[in-house]
Amino acid sequence: MLRFQLSSMKTILLISCLVSFFILSAGQDPEEVIERYSNGKVRAEGWVLNGLKTGPWLFDYPLGVKKEEGVFRQGLKSGEWIGYYDNASVKYHYHFKEGKEHGWCKEFSPEFIILSMGVYAEGRKSGYWQTFYPDGSKKSDAYYEEGRLEKTWTSYYSFGQIEWQGDYKNGSKEGRWTHYDPEGRVLSEGTFHADERSGWWIQRDMDAHLIYEGDFEQGKKNGYFIHYQNGKKQSDGFYSKGVRTGNWRLYDEQGKLKKIIEY
């Protein structure tokens, strides 16, 4: 006998599902199936009709703790499925349609704190999604279309300050992106094209000192570049596809030209 332990409302829905299941299978012989691990513990139990999983099913971990439960229709997951950690706390709530994630889904930490939530449409993330740190503070905001990241994406430090922010287009980083330090100061900033750095970028250290600024193309340094040390100009010159080229000028700590090196 199946060991489902659901809320009263879910029990009503389950009974309704079972009634429909047995009505539809009238004249046939649905078989209750129990699968076991090598240690004899139950791995899964449910019904099979015409060789396909049908109706409520329950899956366990090897030590006998419940792992997952939900309903199959003609061999495919359907409706709400609940997953559990091996300490019996809820791991996720997913909804399925014809075997694919469809509808609201949530994932939880072992302490039952939401780690992510959003909507699936026919197996692909759709619309607004959020993720969270184990303490419940927000980790990221994202937007999906047909499973691809689109529009503005924002990540946060655990105390709420924005860490990264920028846009996606067709699943790739596109346009201006900014990386902030924990105090809200800009660490790096520039543009992406097709998920690669493109155009003018600046990079600072955690003390807000410039490290470099210069041009990128297809993710490689390409064009004029300035390098800094402790916030002071150290050298400048040109890159070609990531390799230094031409004359590079080196400066002393007072910013005076020290030497020129040819590449």
Side-chain angles (χ1 to χ4, degrees), residues 14-33:
L14 177 59
I15 292 172
S16 175
C17 177
L18 283 169
V19 170
S20 299
F21 161 62
F22 284 115
I23 289 175
L24 291 172
S25 63
Q28 302 181 58
D29 294 319
E31 178 185 2
E32 184 176 354
V33 174

Side-chain angles (χ1 to χ4, degrees), residues 107-126:
E107 296 179 343
F108 303 89
S109 71
E111 294 74 32
F112 201 57
I113 294 173
I114 294 176
L115 295 179
S116 69
M117 64 179 183
V119 174
Y120 277 94
E122 297 183 347
R124 294 181 290 191
K125 289 182 177 180
S126 179

Side-chain angles (χ1 to χ4, degrees), residues 15 61 63 75 104 109 121 124 134 139 150 189 211 219 242 257 261:
I15 292 172
Y61 287 101
L63 294 179
W104 268 100
S109 71
R124 294 181 290 191
K139 188 176 183 180
E150 297 285 351
E189 187 172 34
I211 298 174
L257 182 64
I261 300 177

Side-chain angles (χ1 to χ4, degrees), residues 193-199 216-222 241:
H193 177 62
D195 229 18
E196 294 185 325
R197 292 190 179 204
S198 178
F216 283 82
E217 185 175 345
Q218 296 182 344
K220 295 182 178 180
K221 297 173 182 176
N222 197 71
K241 298 180 180 179

